[in-house]
């Protein structure tokens, strides 16, 4: 009888161990004994990743949207009655007060290195953190950005929340859609030289080697003129932009300065008069939620390709 009880205990222990799910989050391995039930996401693109996996009922709210951006109709419908817990980056008290057990954020997407909110500061309160893959460059090395960064996050969220089959089907569909589109894309003889203009007049804030627009531009048949800039999102100088002479400018639309105002700034500044994109008035716009990792990236690639090549 004792042997039988011991065997049963081993089976129960093994079952419990099998129930644990471990995913890699930047430079950490994070283990979940059970799927989170009170999740919070930061920013529009991360929140849409949660929504596209059908996880709204596992969430207690979101943060970091209205302080900088507005929600479009699609987004408002998706979150329905979920509260925005903080207009910008949340405080520790906000997450604890919401009884959160999970925070989906990234470095410079809700968390800052050495800031109040990090995986280490939230751990004592039972709040586990999964970090946006694109943002991992802020705390260590990683390969150049690719669409796999976004796919990786969806697949990991699928594992964490025990909706793995749904995540795999979604990522499989995205991969197939993109492969079909790029295989039929009629590009020019050379990749189009593209500059990403996020914000800033004295010094432009742009996308470097590790920021999602680099992958989007390449998939659409272009090349980010700052793809050797060993940063994610960061400032460069206008002199560098002029020297590299982009043929197209992709404006990221969000915040108080409109895309039209950003275009007008470049078009009316004599210092930029020699840039091909300015001479030919070749500007296109990506919404913030399209330019950052998330479910709208595939459509963003199609939009860019249409602007680049006219089809």
């Amino acid at each position: 009888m004792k042997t039988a009880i011991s065997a049963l205990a081993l089976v129960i222990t093994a079952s419990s161990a099998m129930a644990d799910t471990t995913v890699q989050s930047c430079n950490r391995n994070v283990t979940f004994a059970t799927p989170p039930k009170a999740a919070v996401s930061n920013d529009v693109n991360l929140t849409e990743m949660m929504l596209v996996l059908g996880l709204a009922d596992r969430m207690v709210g979101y943060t970091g949207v209205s302080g900088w951006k507005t929600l479009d109709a699609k987004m408002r419908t998706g979150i329905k009655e979920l509260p925005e817990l903080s207009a910008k980056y949340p405080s520790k008290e906000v997450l604890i007060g919401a009884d959160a057990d999970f925070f989906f954020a990234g470095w410079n997407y809700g968390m800052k290195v050495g800031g109040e909110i990090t995986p280490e500061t939230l751990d004592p309160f039972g709040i586990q953190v999964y970090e946006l893959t694109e943002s991992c460059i802020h705390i260590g090395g990683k390969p150049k950005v690719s669409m796999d960064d976004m796919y990786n996050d969806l697949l990991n969220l699928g594992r964490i929340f025990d909706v793995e089959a749904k995540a795999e089907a979604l990522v499989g569909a995205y991969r197939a859609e993109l492969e079909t589109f790029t295989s039929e894309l009629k590009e020019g003889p050379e990749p189009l030289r593209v500059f990403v203009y996020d914000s800033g007049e004295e010094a432009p804030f742009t996308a470097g080697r590790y920021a999602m627009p680099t992958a989007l531009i390449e998939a659409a048949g272009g090349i980010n003129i700052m793809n050797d800039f060993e940063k994610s999102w960061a400032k460069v100088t206008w002199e560098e932009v002029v020297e590299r002479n982009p043929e197209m400018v992709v404006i990221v639309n969000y915040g108080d300065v409109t895309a039209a105002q950003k275009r007008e700034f470049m078009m009316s500044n004599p210092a930029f008069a020699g840039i091909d994109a300015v001479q030919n008035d070749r500007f296109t716009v990506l919404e913030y939620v399209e330019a950052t990792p998330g479910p709208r990236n595939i459509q963003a690639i199609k939009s860019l390709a249409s602007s680049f090549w006219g089809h």
Side-chain angles (χ1 to χ4, degrees), residues 84-150:
E84 182 172 42
L85 303 173
S86 175
K88 293 191 175 182
Y89 285 15
S91 65
K92 219 164 23 180
E93 288 70 25
V94 163
L95 296 177
I96 295 166
D99 289 324
D101 61 4
F102 177 81
F103 188 42
F104 178 29
W107 299 102
N108 298 344
Y109 290 87
M111 301 187 296
K112 290 183 179 177
V113 175
E116 178 190 358
I117 299 291
T118 68
E120 292 71 27
T121 63
L122 294 180
D123 184 63
F125 303 97
I127 303 173
Q128 292 183 283
V129 176
Y130 176 71
E131 299 147 279
L132 185 76
T133 300
E134 184 216 39
S135 76
C136 294
I137 190 62
H138 294 292
I139 60 168
K142 72 179 289 293
K144 178 183 175 183
V145 70
S146 73
M147 294 303 295
D148 285 336
D149 287 13
M150 188 267 285

Side-chain angles (χ1 to χ4, degrees), residues 250-270:
V250 174
I251 294 174
V252 183
N253 187 37
Y254 71 100
D256 295 331
V257 181
T258 66
Q261 289 171 323
K262 292 174 188 176
R263 174 191 163 278
E264 178 58 27
F265 167 71
M266 288 197 68
M267 287 292 291
S268 61
N269 192 319

Side-chain angles (χ1 to χ4, degrees), residues 22 36 39 42 83 117 122 132-133 173 183 229 231 283 291:
T22 299
N42 184 82
I117 299 291
L122 294 180
L132 185 76
T133 300
S183 68
F229 182 39
K231 297 285 185 180
F283 291 80

Side-chain angles (χ1 to χ4, degrees), residues 6-29:
S6 298
L8 180 60
L10 284 170
V11 170
I12 293 171
T13 301
S15 298
S16 299
M18 287 171 63
D20 288 352
T21 298
T22 299
V23 300
Q24 186 173 347
S25 178
C26 289
N27 57 2
R28 305 177 301 128
N29 285 324

